[in-house]
Amino acid sequence: MPRISLAASLLFVLVLSGCTQEETALDLNVRPLLFDGYRLEIGKTLTQMDEAEHTAVHTICDETDVTSLPDRPFVFDASYRSFTRFSPETISPLTGLTVFHDDEATYAYCETGHSRYVKQIDPELMPIAYREADPEPLRPRVARVSADTQQALLEQLEDDTPYFEFKPFNAPFVALQAPLFTTLSIEVNTQDASMTFSRPYEPSLSLQHVTLSLHIVEMNGFVQPALFESSEANTSQWLLDPVPDGGVPTLSDTYLLPETLEFGKTYPLWQLSYDVEGEIVEQTVSLRYEPPVTMTQTEVNAATMTADEEVTIGYFHKTPLSGKTELHALDAVQTLTTDGAMLKQMVARAEPIKRSGEPADYPLFTLIEGVTSQTFEVTLHKRSKKTDVFLTTEGKHYKLNSEDSASWLSLAPY
């Protein structure tokens, strides 16, 4: 019986087991050139994300290894928002990532088009330096507002609200410090009527620290109570529904808040009184924090399965992507989504070859699918009865079969 060498045996086993992998031109991955976005760190201005940060955001937020939000103090490091610059606006995916840590681990809070979840990560994955700061409690807190701070806020409100006059009630300002990933709701209750304003708290919106103050505003003879919100980012106002024929309200009561607030519990802030034809009508302004919304791995999987399929878009273009020029500003032609899917299949069927052709009129082609993309150099070789289409990526050449070449040419602008 002839002897078989060890190397030949191993090769035979690999072939039988199907471990050999056919070479393919298709390699959709996160390409940082196609993204724009920003990074926000506490006490700093927004900065534009670099390529390493874009790659890290989309690599980390891959909807795996979901865990629960740790119920202990942590330090906020940075928040990232990454979005594609070249997909149609209606399908452009935005991925948000917030990194925070404590003494035990580093965490990422990921936001995609259909998921909100927390995962523990390797701190080396994000190219950021940890902030040396006191850990923040997970529960929202109340802070004190000094007289000087209150006066500065009043002056700021005057600058920000030039269209109407306002005067504050003789009520203390309320300063709030929220944890990440929660929602602040303001409730206004008047007998049988009620209204609610809600505002998400997250570092990317600069709404961790908010000061609330109660005022009367007057514009064109119309008087109405209003709640002003002052944050690091801006000032906004919520007009309270006036009681019919109630005239100007008076402040009848204020309420002290505990230092630490509980999620889901309603806390009254102020009570206003209206004299309606001799009857006193009370109006109460309260606040409530909703608990952070995160998903389990099962919920993330279900949301991912039911989410719309990724749309594939193809671009034929003449100028290479630089990361600075918008693709729509280039000399580019965009395919329909159905054609993009067909072109993707053609790329996947292309066979490796040792040569290429001559540059096409639009020598570049980019596929974009969700947060992934790939750019190819396109060359042609014209023969008497047909034209061959070649694709080059990462220095390797591929050729479309005859049928796919004809289909490609019918969709391309050359």
Side-chain angles (χ1 to χ4, degrees):
M1 181 176 179
R3 298 177 63 185
I4 301 177
S5 69
L6 178 60
S9 300
L10 288 175
L11 178 62
F12 182 69
V13 171
L14 286 173
V15 171
L16 289 181
S17 63
C19 290
T20 56
Q21 186 173 2
E22 185 177 351
E23 185 178 351
T24 177
L26 188 64
D27 183 28
L28 288 169
N29 280 306
V30 176
R31 313 286 180 181
L33 281 178
L34 298 181
F35 291 93
D36 199 356
Y38 60 86
R39 175 179 72 251
L40 174 68
E41 298 177 69
I42 291 293
K44 298 183 180 180
T45 58
L46 289 176
T47 55
Q48 195 165 21
M49 292 171 59
D50 58 29
E51 294 186 9
E53 289 169 330
H54 282 293
T55 301
V57 166
H58 296 288
T59 301
I60 291 173
C61 292
D62 60 357
E63 298 178 325
T64 63
D65 302 323
V66 175
T67 187
S68 58
L69 186 66
D71 190 5
R72 54 180 181 264
F74 56 82
V75 175
F76 162 72
D77 293 305
S79 182
Y80 301 81
R81 293 296 179 270
S82 178
F83 52 89
T84 58
R85 297 189 292 119
F86 305 115
S87 290
E89 190 172 315
T90 55
I91 61 170
S92 180
L94 182 148
T95 301
L97 169 67
T98 299
V99 181
F100 57 101
H101 76 273
D102 57 21
D103 292 337
E104 299 185 28
T106 301
Y107 300 90
Y109 175 73
C110 291
E111 303 167 83
T112 67
H114 50 270
S115 298
R116 304 286 187 275
Y117 57 93
V118 174
K119 60 189 300 183
Q120 185 174 329
I121 65 171
D122 181 349
E124 299 297 324
L125 291 177
M126 285 306 301
I128 60 173
Y130 281 172
R131 289 197 319 123
E132 295 296 331
D134 293 332
E136 299 286 352
L138 189 63
R139 304 297 179 188
R141 296 186 300 169
V142 175
R144 298 188 62 182
V145 184
S146 66
D148 291 341
T149 300
Q150 186 163 314
Q151 182 60 36
L153 288 171
L154 286 173
E155 293 174 358
Q156 182 64 43
L157 291 178
E158 291 179 352
D159 294 337
D160 293 341
T161 55
Y163 302 108
F164 52 79
E165 297 181 3
F166 75 95
K167 62 178 181 179
F169 282 97
N170 186 22
F173 287 22
V174 176
L176 305 170
Q177 182 174 352
L180 307 180
F181 334 127
T182 187
T183 299
L184 169 66
S185 294
I186 300 295
E187 298 179 355
V188 182
N189 294 292
T190 308
Q191 291 187 351
D192 297 332
S194 65
M195 61 189 301
T196 302
F197 310 98
S198 295
R199 182 84 73 179
Y201 264 50
E202 58 180 66
S204 64
L205 297 178
S206 295
L207 287 178
Q208 263 199 295
H209 301 84
V210 168
T211 301
L212 304 176
S213 54
L214 196 61
H215 306 267
I216 292 178
V217 299
E218 182 175 357
M219 183 171 60
N220 299 327
F222 181 74
V223 178
Q224 188 169 0
L227 181 68
F228 280 73
E229 173 194 86
S230 303
S231 70
E232 299 96 322
N234 54 30
T235 298
S236 58
Q237 61 273 351
W238 295 331
L239 295 176
L240 310 185
D241 280 348
V243 175
D245 301 322
V248 179
T250 59
L251 181 67
S252 57
D253 208 348
T254 61
Y255 301 89
L256 296 178
L257 294 174
E259 182 178 349
T260 302
L261 307 178
E262 297 181 20
F263 289 123
K265 184 175 180 179
T266 301
Y267 296 90
L269 296 174
W270 304 286
Q271 188 173 65
L272 303 178
S273 296
Y274 297 80
D275 186 346
V276 182
E277 298 180 351
E279 179 183 355
I280 301 301
V281 176
E282 303 288 354
Q283 186 177 61
T284 304
V285 182
S286 307
L287 68 83
R288 184 182 70 255
Y289 278 105
E290 301 297 342
V293 178
T294 60
M295 302 168 70
T296 64
Q297 184 68 69
T298 300
E299 291 171 331
V300 170
N301 293 343
T304 304
M305 291 179 61
T306 58
D308 293 336
E309 293 184 0
E310 296 285 10
V311 176
T312 306
I313 301 292
Y315 288 95
F316 298 94
H317 53 107
K318 293 184 176 181
T319 307
L321 302 177
S322 67
K324 296 181 180 180
T325 305
E326 296 288 350
L327 189 54
H328 63 73
L330 303 177
D331 191 354
V333 176
Q334 176 184 324
T335 70
L336 300 174
T337 55
T338 52
D339 294 337
M342 291 175 53
L343 290 163
K344 175 186 174 183
Q345 295 173 2
M346 296 179 199
V347 171
R349 288 192 292 263
E351 297 182 353
I353 196 170
K354 297 295 185 181
R355 63 184 178 86
S356 60
E358 295 75 43
D361 289 342
Y362 284 75
L364 298 168
F365 175 73
T366 295
L367 271 178
I368 297 178
E369 186 174 85
V371 299
T372 63
S373 67
Q374 187 176 6
T375 296
F376 302 88
E377 298 175 23
V378 183
T379 55
L380 308 176
H381 178 64
K382 296 181 179 180
R383 297 194 277 175
S384 58
K385 294 185 178 180
K386 63 178 182 177
T387 299
D388 296 324
V389 177
F390 299 88
L391 303 177
T392 300
T393 177
E394 302 294 332
K396 296 181 179 180
H397 307 298
Y398 299 84
K399 179 184 177 183
L400 303 188
N401 61 45
S402 297
E403 183 178 346
D404 284 345
S405 290
S407 299
W408 183 286
L409 293 171
S410 69
L411 297 173
Y414 42 78

